[in-house]
Amino acid sequence: MNTCQKAAPARDEILLAWDIHKDADHLLHNRLNAFLVVQALMFGAFFVAVQISGNGGIPAFLYQGVVFVASIVICVGYWWLSQRMIRGILHLKENYLLPHLPVYEGYYRSLDQEKGRSVARLRYPIHQFAPWLFMAVWFVLMGLSTYFHFSEPSP
């Protein structure tokens, strides 16, 4: 054996990698569901603030600003927290599961093989792009709110 080559992992290591991968993948998808629910609640709070006239002299625009900032923090936080988990899942797939479990590789790559495509790198695109998409929507909403707030004639 060449000293540069790694020995194949033991079966116990592969099974442990599978368990970690399965649990991390499940947790990642649960986090995405929670992120989407929180974003829906934040959209609701934002549009409720459109309807209020203010409480004790605080304008609705200020409430919208607080919801906007909190939503951006949630988007950045979700993306940042997901990166380590995504890198770990991809490491397990590429180094333990795909090379050493032919059944898993066949299952995982079946669609690419069926369509005759080259095998794409694994990336979790929904988890990577959803926070940035929501941030873009939030900036558009806040921009529109700002435009309409400051373009209204003062009473």
Side-chain angles (χ1 to χ4, degrees):
M1 179 169 80
N2 187 347
T3 57
C4 294
Q5 287 181 326
K6 285 181 161 180
R11 178 156 176 74
D12 289 344
E13 287 179 326
I14 293 172
L15 293 176
L16 179 62
W18 170 250
D19 284 340
I20 293 169
H21 167 271
K22 181 178 59 173
D23 292 341
D25 191 64
H26 184 71
L27 180 60
L28 186 65
H29 291 298
N30 283 342
R31 282 184 182 177
L32 177 65
N33 288 338
F35 171 73
L36 295 174
V37 168
V38 168
Q39 288 299 311
L41 292 171
M42 297 304 269
F43 282 130
F46 186 85
F47 288 112
V48 164
V50 170
Q51 297 299 320
I52 64 173
S53 60
N55 185 7
I58 300 173
F61 184 71
L62 182 61
Y63 287 127
Q64 287 180 318
V66 169
V67 171
F68 168 76
V69 169
S71 298
I72 296 301
V73 168
I74 290 167
C75 288
V76 171
Y78 170 78
W79 181 83
W80 184 73
L81 289 172
S82 297
Q83 293 311 297
R84 179 181 170 126
M85 190 171 292
I86 289 171
R87 284 193 302 272
I89 291 169
L90 293 177
H91 172 76
L92 292 174
K93 274 186 185 177
E94 292 169 354
N95 296 315
Y96 289 90
L97 302 177
L98 292 175
H100 303 290
L101 293 176
V103 171
Y104 181 74
E105 182 181 22
Y107 161 75
Y108 196 80
R109 306 235 190 257
S110 64
L111 184 61
D112 292 329
Q113 292 167 353
E114 181 181 304
K115 303 269 185 187
R117 296 185 295 212
S118 63
V119 177
R121 186 133 193 242
L122 316 166
R123 292 279 181 208
Y124 286 86
I126 293 173
H127 301 276
Q128 298 282 9
F129 298 119
W132 303 108
L133 177 66
F134 276 99
M135 269 198 275
V137 170
W138 279 111
F139 277 104
V140 168
L141 281 175
M142 197 62 196
L144 289 172
S145 178
T146 303
Y147 172 77
F148 288 117
H149 176 75
F150 289 110
S151 65
E152 292 177 352
S154 297

